[in-house]
Amino acid sequence: MYKFIFWFCNLVIIAHSQTFSQTFTDLKNNFDLYLNYRNGLNKTVLFDKNRIIIKNNTTGIFSIYNDEISVLNMIFSSSNDKAISYFYKWKKQKHLSSFQIDSLNKIYFSKRVLSKNKSLLGKRIAIDPGHIASDTLEARVEQKYLDFYTFNKSKTKTRVFLYEALFTLQTAEVLKYLCEKKGAQVFLSRTEKNKTMFTHSYLQWFQNNKKQYLDSLYKVGMLNKSQFNKLQKMNVRLFFNQHFKHIELKNRINKINQFNPDATVIIHYNVDEKNYRWKKTTPKNFTMAFIPGCFTNNDLKYETHQIELIRLLLGNDLKQSELLSAFTVNQFNKELNIPIATVNDAIYLKKNAIITKSKGVYCRDLTLSLGIKSPLVYGEALYQDNINECYALMENDFECNGKKISKRIYLTALAYFNALEVYFRL
């Protein structure tokens, strides 16, 4: 145990403090409200009088005892991934002794406590502008663009050509500007058009770095020969969808967690799911936001998901994320004058989400939101293919910080900013 404590202490990264206590009743409520999709985990995550047991089929793989809740919360929310994985494998179903709990608690003696200042002054805000592609070649790979001809209100034939990644980056830049004016420290996960988290565009990375990347994975045993050959033969689009976008998201998560944010804003713009390939406009327009959760048994086949479930179960990020997201959705509704989505307004809300108590806020097991260790909002402000929005988004009819952008972009950023101000005033 002494060797473990010494090794673990060297790996720990002190992150945002969660200085609150929870009971088994609180954890069971968290589990039912946010994590247990359609009761599918009832036989996998078991609550009894003294402990919570997480199972893999019929075998218990991890146990949480009542007296461990506080220290386990700090470990899973405030350590780096390597330390958490090591601890998770080491502990398994052990019941930590009082000496072990005291020793682990001492590792966290220098926790950074969230400022009590009820404003954005000094707050650490991470902003993730969703997606990557902001030109035709990249967008055709990522499949996150709209390109069609239609008739505007003046009955004039008009080309609609939109890149979601461009709008998210513009929104992030405005939000950063607004937050920094109030004294916040802001981290943008993406700062340039077409640039991935690996500093190049995807197409540049695919051409210049793919082989070296796959070779390195093969040499350290992370890919077998069959997997290596399969990935090596994939074309540019297939490799992006089946592999690259996942490692790029993981890199975003790592960079955001290293920044240690007090809150994270993940920016996206939506489309009508029934508007096939987005080749025409839609009358629909709704606003919504997502937070982590909505686990299934299939998710718990993987250690990373088991660890994220434990972190979210023990911590306060879910409740705080719901609060921040509810403020954001209300601000979208107010600033953009868009109705808030109900569960019947999209198939994925009915089939792939847990409805929270806050209107327009839904739990989903999205990779980015699951991995970030802070309260967060994953916003979907509007439908880009809406008959009015698509034209408004193409207009550079507003100036902010010396740049011309669509006023809809500015109002979206303002909605996020207003929500952050309200959230930190509590």
Side-chain angles (χ1 to χ4, degrees):
M1 178 62 193
Y2 292 101
K3 182 178 179 181
F4 166 76
I5 291 290
F6 176 79
W7 186 92
F8 187 78
C9 188
N10 286 327
L11 282 182
V12 167
I13 294 176
I14 301 303
H16 64 282
S17 173
Q18 298 193 37
T19 54
F20 64 97
S21 60
Q22 296 203 88
T23 65
F24 266 26
T25 300
D26 296 326
L27 299 186
K28 184 63 168 65
N29 287 337
N30 278 353
F31 180 72
D32 291 337
L33 286 172
Y34 303 112
L35 301 172
N36 189 14
Y37 178 63
R38 296 186 176 179
N39 298 316
L41 301 184
N42 285 351
K43 294 182 180 180
T44 309
V45 182
L46 306 178
F47 289 75
D48 65 22
K49 292 181 181 179
N50 300 312
R51 65 174 176 163
I52 302 167
I53 305 169
I54 298 173
K55 299 174 67 177
N56 184 1
N57 296 324
T58 59
T59 306
I61 54 175
F62 196 84
S63 292
I64 301 167
Y65 292 86
N66 187 57
D67 58 345
E68 299 172 344
I69 292 174
S70 179
V71 70
L72 291 185
N73 173 36
M74 289 191 291
I75 289 170
F76 279 83
S77 66
S78 304
S79 306
N80 66 31
D81 290 344
K82 186 176 181 180
I84 293 170
S85 179
Y86 184 93
F87 177 83
Y88 179 76
K89 291 182 175 76
W90 172 83
K91 182 185 184 299
K92 297 182 180 177
Q93 297 184 73
K94 297 182 185 75
H95 186 176
L96 299 177
S97 68
S98 57
F99 169 76
Q100 290 170 333
I101 291 171
D102 288 344
S103 298
L104 288 167
N105 268 318
K106 288 175 182 177
I107 295 175
Y108 295 86
F109 70 94
S110 61
K111 299 182 297 294
R112 178 173 67 82
V113 179
L114 183 64
S115 168
K116 294 181 180 179
N117 178 32
K118 293 188 176 184
S119 72
L120 282 169
L121 182 63
K123 299 298 189 301
R124 300 171 68 85
I125 310 297
I127 305 173
D128 179 71
H131 303 300
I132 301 164
S134 298
D135 70 24
T136 306
L137 286 176
E138 298 275 344
R140 292 193 189 284
V141 173
E142 192 177 13
Q143 293 293 292
K144 291 296 178 183
Y145 70 101
L146 279 67
D147 183 10
F148 58 86
Y149 285 91
T150 187
F151 291 92
N152 61 23
K153 291 180 179 179
S154 303
K155 306 299 182 182
T156 303
K157 191 174 183 179
T158 304
R159 187 184 188 188
V160 172
F161 205 104
L162 307 176
Y163 302 113
E164 183 180 351
L166 176 60
F167 298 146
T168 61
L169 181 57
Q170 289 175 336
T171 309
E173 288 170 343
V174 174
L175 179 57
K176 180 177 186 288
Y177 169 72
L178 295 173
C179 289
E180 287 181 340
K181 285 208 316 182
K182 292 290 185 175
Q185 300 178 57
V186 179
F187 169 74
L188 290 191
S189 66
R190 186 169 65 88
T191 59
E192 295 182 57
K193 299 176 185 178
N194 282 339
K195 291 296 179 65
T196 69
M197 292 298 292
F198 300 101
T199 70
H200 308 293
S201 75
Y202 168 65
L203 292 177
Q204 288 172 333
W205 185 94
F206 185 85
Q207 182 177 354
N208 301 323
N209 301 88
K210 175 190 170 186
K211 186 180 184 304
Q212 181 182 356
Y213 166 76
L214 292 178
D215 286 344
S216 65
L217 292 184
Y218 180 66
K219 285 179 181 178
V220 298
M222 294 181 68
L223 292 176
N224 60 36
K225 188 67 175 177
S226 175
Q227 292 168 327
F228 174 84
N229 289 335
K230 183 179 178 181
L231 287 169
Q232 186 77 315
K233 293 176 182 177
M234 284 182 181
N235 65 34
V236 65
R237 184 180 296 181
L238 192 61
F239 187 87
F240 180 90
N241 286 315
Q242 294 197 11
H243 191 78
F244 182 84
K245 70 179 183 181
H246 302 294
I247 62 171
E248 207 271 347
L249 285 175
K250 180 61 177 175
N251 202 11
R252 292 190 192 210
I253 291 168
N254 291 340
K255 293 289 179 64
I256 290 170
N257 287 338
Q258 288 170 15
F259 177 70
N260 190 19
D262 297 312
T264 300
V265 176
I266 303 168
I267 300 172
H268 283 260
Y269 287 91
N270 216 338
V271 287
D272 181 357
E273 62 185 346
K274 294 183 179 180
N275 189 10
Y276 182 65
R277 292 189 177 178
W278 312 299
K279 292 296 184 181
K280 59 182 180 180
T281 59
T282 178
K284 291 185 179 180
N285 203 13
F286 296 104
T287 188
M288 65 193 77
F290 303 125
I291 63 175
C294 195
F295 283 79
T296 66
N297 269 324
N298 191 55
D299 290 324
L300 296 189
K301 292 178 182 177
Y302 307 100
E303 179 187 296
T304 53
H305 282 71
Q306 295 160 13
I307 287 171
E308 294 307 338
L309 181 136
I310 293 169
R311 178 181 66 82
L312 291 166
L313 176 66
L314 295 175
N316 201 34
D317 282 352
L318 285 169
K319 290 180 181 178
Q320 293 301 308
S321 294
E322 182 184 356
L323 194 63
L324 174 58
S325 297
F327 291 146
T328 303
V329 168
N330 287 333
Q331 286 296 320
F332 286 158
N333 174 249
K334 176 184 175 183
E335 297 292 344
L336 297 167
N337 193 28
I338 299 174
I340 298 172
T342 69
V343 70
N344 294 315
D345 290 323
I347 295 171
Y348 52 84
L349 297 180
K350 185 176 288 187
K351 291 189 174 181
N352 302 310
I354 292 176
I355 309 165
T356 74
K357 293 181 180 180
S358 300
K359 189 176 178 182
V361 180
Y362 302 88
C363 297
R364 291 185 70 188
D365 58 343
L366 302 170
T367 299
L368 194 63
S369 63
L370 288 180
I372 291 173
K373 298 176 184 178
S374 81
L376 63 84
V377 53
Y378 188 119
E380 299 274 12
L382 53 80
Y383 282 13
Q384 302 164 80
D385 52 347
N386 172 265
I387 193 167
N388 297 314
E389 298 289 5
C390 64
Y391 299 119
L393 288 168
M394 290 191 295
E395 294 290 334
N396 291 323
D397 55 349
F398 192 85
E399 185 173 323
C400 179
N401 196 27
K403 293 183 179 180
K404 290 281 190 178
I405 56 173
S406 165
K407 190 171 183 180
R408 302 300 280 172
I409 297 295
Y410 172 77
L411 291 175
T412 302
L414 181 64
Y416 283 117
F417 172 75
N418 290 342
L420 287 167
E421 284 215 305
V422 174
Y423 173 74
F424 283 117
R425 279 203 297 267
L426 295 180

